[in-house]
Amino acid sequence: MSDNAEKPRVLVVEDEERIAGILLDYLKQSGFETDASYSGDGVVESVKENPPDILLLDLMLPGVDGLTICREVRKFSELPIIMVTARVDELDRLLGLELGADDYICKPFSPREVVARVKAVLRRHRHSPEPVSDSRIFQIDEGALRICVEGEKLDLTPMEFRLLSKLINNPGRVYSRAHLHELCTGPEQRSVDRTIDSHIKNLRKKIARYLPDREVIHSVYGVGYRFEI
Ligand code: CA
């Protein structure tokens, strides 16, 4: 295999050419092959014909928008997708849509940060090609509202059960606090007296009793949480 063939290829879909240029430079310097598209048109087709290793996808694009591209690509591929948005307040809505993107980045970003996120998503993707949780460690009994860690039953409130089972069943997926809050409150609960952060804190504490050296609920800076073993 030639050196080139081993380089992961990133497809950058970004209509602001200056930003795209900076990203492409940094990615190349960091050992990636790169391709760019400055509009959303033809991106789905090009991914289908020549799938990149990872897609860096801007939300607002001339032609087909980032949301549509993400949804279309997910119909035929599990390739890693990082969504880029210009608005922090768009993030919650995006996350709520459960697009199946692997990560989200807000503009303005540092190109260094983007490269680090691209590497992290690729690493995660390689380690778990199948998006399933490690059943040897966590077992969920939906009927009994019970979750076991390596055979040991966690003592969970119904809300914690709901939260943790959602995270475990969707490893690698990033959830916003607002989305988790919605999942937790459910139709029968009118309010949540504690914040998602405090539920997460308690869950981490309970899990740490059995997995002391392992963080499984990861904070996603500025966004929310993600489960990953
Ligand atoms: Ca744009």
Side-chain angles (χ1 to χ4, degrees):
M1 210 187 271
S2 79
D3 231 25
N4 256 7
E6 289 170 19
K7 286 186 178 177
R9 194 165 62 88
V10 188
L11 173 57
V12 176
V13 184
E14 169 64 69
D15 57 310
E16 288 172 73
E17 292 194 24
R18 192 186 59 85
I19 293 178
I22 294 170
L23 283 177
L24 293 171
D25 282 349
Y26 266 82
L27 288 163
K28 275 181 208 149
Q29 280 168 26
S30 309
F32 290 94
E33 287 276 300
T34 54
D35 270 319
S37 173
Y38 303 107
S39 109
D41 290 332
V43 171
V44 175
E45 293 75 10
S46 114
V47 167
K48 205 176 263 178
E49 278 160 27
N50 184 18
D53 293 293
I54 184 164
L55 181 59
L56 203 54
L57 182 60
D58 190 31
L59 181 65
M60 301 291 281
L61 293 163
V64 184
D65 66 276
L67 284 185
T68 309
I69 293 171
C70 189
R71 284 209 177 97
E72 290 299 313
V73 168
R74 273 292 169 266
K75 287 181 185 167
F76 62 88
S77 171
E78 282 298 317
L79 79 91
I81 299 176
I82 299 181
M83 292 286 295
V84 180
T85 167
R87 292 171 49 190
V88 181
D89 56 356
E90 268 286 308
L91 261 182
D92 263 334
R93 193 177 72 85
L94 276 181
L95 290 163
L97 294 173
E98 300 208 35
L99 294 168
D102 296 83
D103 204 353
Y104 298 84
I105 294 174
C106 266
K107 290 177 183 173
F109 48 65
S110 91
R112 244 179 261 277
E113 167 75 5
V114 175
V115 170
R117 303 277 275 269
V118 165
K119 285 182 178 168
V121 168
L122 278 174
R123 206 160 40 230
R124 248 156 55 203
H125 199 75
R126 286 205 191 102
H127 286 170
S128 58
E130 296 288 313
V132 292
S133 66
D134 192 333
S135 57
R136 285 167 302 173
I137 297 179
F138 283 85
Q139 299 98 29
I140 304 178
D141 184 338
E142 303 276 353
L145 300 185
R146 190 169 55 204
I147 299 176
C148 291
V149 183
E150 298 197 306
E152 302 284 348
K153 182 178 169 288
L154 289 174
D155 184 19
L156 302 176
T157 65
M159 220 173 267
E160 287 168 352
F161 173 83
R162 220 177 296 184
L163 199 54
L164 186 57
S165 59
K166 185 73 184 178
L167 289 169
I168 294 172
N169 282 327
N170 298 279
R173 179 165 289 182
V174 182
Y175 286 97
S176 71
R177 287 181 180 80
H179 190 195
L180 289 173
H181 182 92
E182 211 172 281
L183 288 170
C184 272
T185 48
E188 77 276 18
Q189 294 261 353
R190 271 184 221 95
S191 67
V192 183
D193 54 349
R194 285 179 297 173
T195 64
I196 287 300
D197 290 341
S198 71
H199 287 302
I200 295 285
K201 197 171 148 207
N202 290 337
L203 279 172
R204 280 177 171 157
K205 224 182 273 170
K206 290 177 179 182
I207 293 168
R209 265 180 231 154
Y210 306 106
L211 295 176
D213 308 319
R214 223 152 162 181
E215 181 89 314
V216 293
I217 303 177
H218 303 262
S219 299
V220 181
Y221 182 71
V223 182
Y225 297 99
R226 165 172 64 74
F227 178 87
E228 191 193 342
I229 290 186

